[in-house]
Amino acid sequence: ACVAGALAAGAIPYEPATMAKPPRLACLAAFPWTTIAGDVDAELDVATTRLRGAGAEVVAVALPDALGDAARVHRTIMLHEAAVHLGPLQDRARTQLSATLNAALDEGRAITAEAYARALAGRHAMIAAATDWLSRYDALLVPSTPAGAPASLDATGDPSCCTLASLLGAPAITLPVALDAHGMPLGLQLVAPAGDDARLLAVAAWCEERLPFTGLV
């Protein structure tokens, strides 16, 4: 909240507001484009049970059909734009780039301008659909990642649970709630419609108080 308040020049409060009543949360346990590990699913159930016990209304939901193609649309936009901006660098220094990055940029180069334009139009339609869907809730509750954090620093982990919020330009925040069998943190992600940062921070503060995390020292 402090960082967001500073960056948003006063549009977001430095201290999250106190909620007048427990939040109404939409719980989406999985995304159609990824598989959620059993321990993540189990901890999400534990967290939602605790939030319900504290007074929150937690409603199990499915991803609307209008958002079902989010992963493909996101990938089309991301890789096309990456190829446009990094293509000259790849031309100069392909052998210095990783195989993963080269493959992504090559895929982006193959995306036509027409396909990119359709993806942008699809994104705008999805933002409208998501805004309407999420207007019934204070926030959307989803896993932060499909599995626990990686044990090494070689990679940052699987970002597929962040795809929807990234595509929509929606504010999202993660609260650590447990440790997996390897001692790595598991998170619970809260998402709100674009521009609703202040309310999201208020919901997160309410949830954080009721999901105290003491696994790391």
Side-chain angles (χ1 to χ4, degrees):
C2 288
V3 172
L7 293 176
I12 298 172
Y14 283 81
E15 292 288 338
T18 299
M19 299 200 70
K21 61 181 182 179
R24 186 169 193 258
L25 304 172
C27 180
L28 179 65
F31 296 97
W33 51 80
T34 193
T35 300
I36 304 299
D39 54 355
V40 174
D41 190 53
E43 290 301 336
L44 187 65
D45 284 344
V46 170
T48 55
T49 297
R50 292 178 68 177
L51 293 175
R52 284 192 179 102
E57 181 183 1
V58 183
V59 182
V61 298
L63 191 71
D65 290 343
L67 302 177
D69 205 23
R72 185 194 63 78
V73 170
H74 178 271
R75 186 173 183 84
T76 298
I77 295 171
M78 176 179 67
L79 294 187
H80 177 82
E81 292 181 351
V84 169
H85 293 289
L86 297 179
L89 172 63
Q90 186 188 37
D91 290 338
R92 296 194 307 270
R94 173 180 281 270
T95 59
Q96 295 174 264
L97 304 182
S98 70
T100 300
L101 180 54
N102 275 317
L105 294 177
D106 289 342
E107 183 178 341
R109 286 173 182 258
I111 295 171
T112 65
E114 291 76 13
Y116 174 63
R118 288 194 299 271
L120 289 180
R123 175 179 182 266
H124 290 303
M126 288 181 185
I127 291 173
T131 300
D132 179 65
W133 176 46
L134 295 178
S135 67
R136 308 164 210 170
Y137 310 98
D138 289 305
L140 175 68
L141 189 158
V142 296
S144 297
T145 57
S152 73
L153 299 179
D154 296 333
T156 57
D158 185 339
S160 55
C161 289
C162 302
T163 294
L164 183 64
S166 295
L167 177 68
L168 300 176
I173 189 169
T174 284
L175 304 178
V177 293
L179 298 178
D180 67 11
H182 305 288
M184 303 305 291
L186 300 173
L188 175 154
Q189 182 180 189
L190 295 165
V191 182
D196 226 350
D197 302 60
R199 180 172 63 163
L200 177 66
L201 288 167
V203 173
W206 189 94
C207 292
E208 186 178 43
E209 288 181 3
R210 289 150 184 87
L211 298 171
F213 179 66
T214 58
L216 298 180
V217 293

